[in-house]
Amino acid sequence: ESVTVTVTDDGDDVLVVRVRARAVDGAANKAVVLAVAQALGVRRSAVTLARGAKSRLKWVDVEGSDSDTAAAIAALPREAPPL
């Protein structure tokens, strides 16, 4: 299953997560949470979907050190923001 996690290069550190899982029975949400956890190097249980369960835009909470999370985000590949 193809998954990518990048960060928009607009200074806001917005994660762009692309998954192939379909939005059926929460499969896409689960795939997003797993992808974020893997990309940030944290346990899957450390990432929770805070908002956006039925939306394309999602907010996640990541347990752990803010500095560790910031460092993991900084290490992710960058992409140009959408036009």
Side-chain angles (χ1 to χ4, degrees):
E1 193 165 302
S2 176
V3 175
T4 60
V5 179
T6 58
V7 179
T8 58
D9 206 10
D10 62 0
D12 287 336
D13 283 344
V14 173
L15 295 181
V16 179
V17 181
R18 293 182 177 93
V19 299
R20 288 193 163 231
R22 298 190 47 150
V24 176
D25 296 329
N29 289 334
K30 290 176 187 173
V32 166
V33 167
L34 180 60
V36 169
Q38 289 176 337
L40 299 181
V42 298
R43 298 176 330 275
R44 191 258 166 255
S45 61
V47 179
T48 55
L49 185 61
R51 287 187 359 202
K54 296 183 183 231
S55 171
R56 291 186 65 181
L57 298 177
K58 301 184 183 310
W59 284 257
V60 295
D61 288 329
V62 180
E63 289 180 16
S65 163
D66 288 345
S67 61
D68 289 346
T69 301
I73 291 171
L76 290 172
R78 302 276 168 184
E79 73 173 34
L83 297 177

